[in-house]
Amino acid sequence: MNLDRYLFEVSPDHFEYQFYSHGPKGRIKKIVRFDPFETGDGQQLINLAFGDWNEQTQAIDDETISNNGDTDKILATVAFIVLEFTNRFPETVIYAEGSTVARTRKYQMGINKYFEDISDLFHVFGVTENSSIQPFTKSVNYAGFLVSRKLS
Amino acid sequence: MSNSAMNIRKTALQLKPAKVNRKMDDHSNDPFFTKKLDKAKKRLKKVTIPAILKDRK
């Protein structure tokens, strides 16, 4: 799977990554963070979130549609960041969802496209709108996703 | 294992560690990420995590 992707940098604690999108709208800094949290029954998970650094507002947001023509390359970069993070922290369970239904759907389309490859390395579960967790199925639309590296 | 699966496994194993940027800003307390975290906590507050994802050490 030789996907085109951006080079990225990581913070010293390896919980924050950044890279730059390049396209017709210029250079846009993307920030990816992994933040630990616990579910109600005490299971520790890692939330994956990412957004754009907005130079005008000097803040991070994910509501701007950057239209930089590189969505697939950005998603591939985030996928490789997850690989990098889980190479370092293989026991973690990562949760991700989009900021909107449309963006979550976009992530799901990416998982669908490469599911055979992804599932060789990761356990993949879908989280439904009513918060039930089930093994990822291509035909179901999910509200979010849980992934963890297969340890053996 | 398919060729494609072997490729991604090889890629993952050969993935070089990302370049550490010691000057990178820390956004751990940024409202953007705390809001995202709160959303995830709310979504997964009452879920039952599959056994295969538990006790992974």
Side-chain angles (χ1 to χ4, degrees):
Chain A
M1 193 170 77
N2 296 313
L3 295 175
D4 192 19
R5 63 185 192 268
Y6 291 110
L7 294 175
F8 48 82
E9 294 181 327
V10 63
S11 61
D13 68 0
H14 287 261
F15 275 72
E16 187 162 321
Y17 293 73
Q18 68 179 30
F19 61 96
Y20 290 90
S21 154
H22 295 269
K25 305 287 183 183
R27 192 174 88 133
I28 301 167
K29 184 158 92 172
K30 306 278 182 182
I31 300 170
V32 180
R33 269 202 68 82
F34 295 89
D35 284 308
F37 70 103
E38 282 191 5
T39 62
D41 67 355
Q43 174 74 27
Q44 190 165 82
L45 304 177
I46 302 283
N47 186 55
L48 169 110
F50 78 101
D52 294 0
W53 177 251
N54 186 320
E55 289 292 346
Q56 289 182 327
T57 61
Q58 291 288 294
I60 305 166
D61 76 60
D62 62 359
E63 289 169 10
T64 307
I65 297 172
S66 51
N67 272 336
N68 226 4
D70 58 350
T71 304
D72 287 349
K73 191 169 179 178
I74 288 168
L75 290 180
T77 306
V78 174
F80 275 90
I81 286 173
V82 171
L83 267 180
E84 214 273 340
F85 182 81
T86 55
N87 275 347
R88 180 165 288 266
F89 305 109
E91 76 285 359
T92 53
V93 180
I94 297 169
Y95 175 72
E97 70 174 77
S99 58
T100 64
V101 171
R103 287 193 179 177
T104 303
R105 182 78 187 122
K106 186 83 182 171
Y107 301 162
Q108 179 155 356
M109 288 163 69
I111 296 172
N112 282 348
K113 190 172 178 181
Y114 297 105
F115 185 70
E116 279 67 34
D117 295 331
I118 293 168
S119 61
D120 181 55
L121 283 180
F122 289 91
H123 299 290
V124 186
F125 288 83
V127 181
T128 64
E129 274 298 335
N130 62 4
S131 295
S132 75
I133 298 176
Q134 53 187 240
F136 182 87
T137 305
K138 289 182 179 180
S139 57
V140 177
N141 286 343
Y142 295 109
F145 312 97
L146 281 170
V147 298
S148 65
R149 285 291 280 266
K150 291 183 176 175
L151 295 178
S152 57
Chain B
M1 186 184 295
S2 69
N3 285 340
S4 165
M6 280 191 286
N7 281 342
I8 190 170
R9 183 179 287 280
K10 191 175 164 189
T11 303
L13 294 175
Q14 291 180 343
L15 192 64
K16 291 179 184 171
K19 181 185 170 190
V20 175
N21 182 345
R22 299 194 179 282
K23 294 179 181 172
M24 192 185 293
D25 293 333
D26 177 5
H27 296 98
S28 53
N29 293 316
D30 190 292
F32 173 84
F33 288 113
T34 52
K35 195 174 125 192
K36 296 288 174 192
L37 198 52
D38 288 344
K39 189 178 173 188
K41 283 179 187 171
K42 191 176 172 189
R43 171 86 66 195
L44 299 178
K45 191 174 180 182
K46 293 180 180 173
V47 295
T48 302
I49 300 294
I52 201 165
L53 300 181
K54 290 185 172 181
D55 301 326
R56 293 173 42 81
K57 290 184 179 174

